């Protein structure tokens, strides 16, 4: 807030400059993560720079397996060393609340995350740009003479700007800042969130190619999809709550000390073996999301159950591999893995529904889209952010907003009821 009436123009100009610098910092964070990921994948799989190829796209099963083994050994040693000799890692949430992020430890932790994801670990890459964005924002705001509230808002915006930059999701990044990190949607939070995410996405586009993350066919609403969304929303909510509880519990018992040097390589090797028949479970989650959103029933009858069974199986397997990776001591996100799992479950359940109530066309894209939005909304506990992210990732979905909103509402309602029940039991 301004200190006095005559200082308002100076204060406004200073705040505008700092906000712009935070946005630029978020863009730099996104670019740095993208370049590191591209370099790692070039060395490991021979991919050229640009595009969204990941470990799951490598044609050689042996290459995928060896990359996961290497990831387990390298990241296991790196995280063990970092946790033994480095300063304690400060989370983005703690940084927003005012705790200082150590420079070397923060950058090293983000780098190891990108190494793991680049080599195929079954986790998301989105934590790294958020951490780097928050750290850079603290550097920008430290000597700006801002109030604690202004600093808190801009650090949250900087973290979200890193997310907006690396995925080119400016609106999703802004909503992530106000809905998830700050828990307050107001003029004071929305204005800097929009500005920083827009600046970050623009800066990132100077380097990162502007490409759609998930190419999906056009989707249209039908009575079958509408009723399915109402029915399946609570089911996806239960699945999302279960996934969060599982990952939190496994994270709480993750190995420490020298045990990390053993457990992490073993789990990564097991994920590599699973990826021999199921490469879609590797990496950030894009590969599985694409499979789910582009799947179709073979003939619309019980004889064409193969896509349904495959999608449900892949959803279960991806849940296991992501949870095991986090439980083994790895650090990474669950945002894009949640989209992958939700789209696979949604596509599978949607395919089964179409056997009972056929709709125009055999495609499962709309069901996978709705499933991804509802599942992500539950795992993030952020319905606005989740739906907007899936829309921006696909650049589709406006024609099926009604069933998407209904499914998200049902899923989030289940999560809310279960959370209140747990709180009542703890009192």
């Amino acid at each position: 807030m301004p200190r006095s009436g005559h200082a308002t123009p100076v204060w406004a100009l200073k705040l505008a400059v700092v906000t712009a610098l935070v946005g630029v910092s978020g863009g730099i964070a996104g670019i740095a993560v993208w370049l590191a990921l591209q370099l790692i994948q070039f060395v490991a799989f021979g991919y050229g720079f640009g595009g969204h190829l990941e470990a799951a796209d490598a044609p050689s099963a042996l290459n995928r397996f060896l990359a996961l083994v290497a990831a387990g050994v390298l990241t296991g040693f790196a995280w063990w060393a970092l946790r033994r000799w480095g300063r304690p890692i400060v989370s983005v949430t703690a940084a927003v609340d005012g705790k200082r992020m150590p420079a070397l430890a923060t950058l090293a932790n983000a780098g190891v995350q990108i190494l793991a994801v680049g080599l195929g670990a079954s986790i998301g890459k989105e934590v790294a740009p958020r951490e780097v964005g928050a750290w850079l924002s603290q550097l920008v705001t430290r000597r700006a003479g801002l109030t604690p509230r202004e600093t808190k808002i801009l650090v949250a915006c900087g973290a979200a700007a890193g997310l907006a930059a690396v995925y080119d999701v400016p609106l999703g990044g802004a909503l992530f800042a106000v809905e998830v990190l700050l828990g307050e949607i107001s003029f004071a939070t929305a204005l800097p969130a929009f500005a920083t995410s827009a600046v970050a996405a623009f800066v990132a586009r100077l380097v990162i190619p502007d490409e759609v993350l998930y190419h999906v066919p056009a989707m249209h609403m039908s009575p079958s999809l509408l009723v399915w969304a109402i029915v399946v929303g609570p089911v996806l909510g239960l699945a999302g709550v279960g996934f969060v509880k599982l990952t939190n519990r496994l994270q709480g018992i993750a190995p420490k000390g020298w045990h990390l040097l053993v457990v992490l390589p073993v789990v990564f090797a097991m994920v590599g073996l699973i990826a021999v028949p199921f490469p879609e479970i590797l990496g950030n989650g894009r590969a599985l999301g694409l499979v789910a959103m582009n799947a179709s029933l073979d003939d619309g009858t019980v004889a064409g159950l193969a896509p349904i069974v495959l999608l449900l199986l892949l959803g279960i397997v991806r849940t296991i591999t992501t949870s095991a990776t986090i439980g083994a001591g790895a650090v990474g996100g669950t945002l894009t893995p949640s989209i992958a799992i939700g789209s696979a479950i949604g596509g599978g359940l949607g395919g089964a529904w179409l056997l009972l109530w056929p709709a125009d066309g055999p495609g499962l894209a709309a069901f996978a889209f709705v499933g991804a939005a509802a599942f992500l909304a539950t795992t993030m506990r952020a319905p606005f952010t989740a739906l907007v992210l899936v829309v921006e990732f696909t650049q589709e979905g406006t024609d099926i907003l009604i069933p998407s909103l209904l499914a998200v509402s049902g899923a989030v309602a289940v999560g809310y009821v279960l959370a209140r029940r747990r709180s009542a039991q703890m009192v």
Side-chain angles (χ1 to χ4, degrees), residues 122-123 236 238-248 250 267 271 274 278 280-283 285 288 310-328 333-334 336-346 375 379:
S122 190
I123 48 177
L236 290 167
L238 285 171
V241 170
F243 178 66
V244 171
K245 290 181 64 175
L246 176 61
T247 53
N248 287 343
L250 291 176
V267 170
V271 173
I274 295 173
F278 302 119
E280 297 86 356
I281 56 93
L282 291 180
L288 178 52
L310 177 62
L311 288 178
L312 293 176
L313 177 61
L314 286 173
I316 294 171
V317 173
R318 176 74 202 214
T319 300
I320 294 171
T321 56
T322 297
S323 302
T325 300
I326 293 174
T334 58
T336 43
S338 291
I339 292 177
I341 295 168
S343 62
I345 296 175
F375 192 85
T379 59

Side-chain angles (χ1 to χ4, degrees), residues 43-419:
V43 174
F45 306 109
Y47 297 152
F49 275 66
H52 295 297
L53 293 176
E54 55 183 353
D57 300 302
S60 169
L62 179 60
N63 190 187
R64 297 193 300 267
F65 173 72
L66 293 178
L68 260 296
V69 172
V73 174
L74 293 174
T75 62
F77 177 80
W79 268 315
W80 169 78
L82 180 59
R83 294 166 190 175
R84 179 170 182 178
W85 291 299
R87 296 180 62 184
I89 301 299
V90 175
S91 68
V92 169
T93 302
V96 170
D97 288 336
K99 194 168 184 179
R100 185 72 58 84
M101 302 181 80
L104 292 180
T106 298
L107 294 176
N109 189 51
V112 180
Q113 291 176 51
I114 296 306
L115 177 62
V117 175
L119 293 176
S122 190
I123 48 177
K125 67 182 180 183
E126 63 275 358
V127 173
R130 297 204 303 257
E131 290 181 343
V132 177
W135 170 69
L136 289 174
S137 298
Q138 285 190 334
L139 295 182
V140 170
T141 59
R142 185 175 302 168
R143 300 184 182 278
L146 304 179
T147 66
R149 174 168 166 78
E150 290 164 353
T151 301
K152 176 177 182 175
I153 291 173
L154 286 176
V155 171
C157 290
L163 173 67
V166 78
Y167 283 124
D168 192 22
V169 287
L171 182 54
L175 287 174
F176 183 85
V178 299
E179 188 180 18
V180 178
L181 295 179
L182 294 170
E184 175 192 339
I185 301 179
S186 65
F187 180 83
T189 59
L191 183 60
F194 286 150
T196 51
S197 287
V199 170
F202 175 78
V203 171
R205 287 188 184 187
L206 299 177
V207 177
I208 303 175
D210 180 17
E211 298 179 6
V212 180
L213 188 62
Y214 296 94
H215 289 279
V216 299
M219 297 173 286
H220 304 287
M221 189 173 69
S222 66
S224 177
L225 175 65
L226 187 64
V227 176
W228 176 85
I230 297 172
V231 173
V232 84
V235 176
L236 290 167
L238 285 171
V241 170
F243 178 66
V244 171
K245 290 181 64 175
L246 176 61
T247 53
N248 287 343
R249 180 166 298 181
L250 291 176
Q251 189 175 40
I253 61 173
K256 296 177 176 61
W258 65 266
H259 295 90
L260 189 67
L261 296 170
V262 177
V263 176
L264 199 62
V266 169
V267 170
F268 273 47
M270 292 175 61
V271 173
L273 288 174
I274 295 173
V276 172
F278 302 119
E280 297 86 356
I281 56 93
L282 291 180
N284 206 37
R286 175 177 175 268
L288 178 52
L290 281 174
V291 169
M293 294 185 190
N294 288 276
S296 62
L297 296 181
D298 293 337
D299 55 13
T301 67
V302 176
L305 286 176
I308 299 173
V309 175
L310 177 62
L311 288 178
L312 293 176
L313 177 61
L314 286 173
I316 294 171
V317 173
R318 176 74 202 214
T319 300
I320 294 171
T321 56
T322 297
S323 302
T325 300
I326 293 174
V331 177
T334 58
L335 191 159
T336 43
S338 291
I339 292 177
I341 295 168
S343 62
I345 296 175
L349 295 178
W353 180 267
L354 287 177
L355 296 178
L356 303 174
W357 187 348
D360 294 336
L364 302 179
F367 296 91
F369 179 99
V370 172
F375 192 85
L376 180 62
T378 307
T379 59
M380 293 183 70
R381 301 189 69 181
F384 294 106
T385 305
L387 182 54
V388 168
L389 282 174
V390 179
V391 170
E392 287 189 307
F393 281 148
T394 61
Q395 294 189 11
E396 293 282 350
T398 54
D399 287 346
I400 58 169
L401 279 180
I402 294 175
S404 297
L405 289 168
L406 291 172
V408 167
S409 298
V412 173
V414 167
Y416 177 74
V417 170
L418 293 178

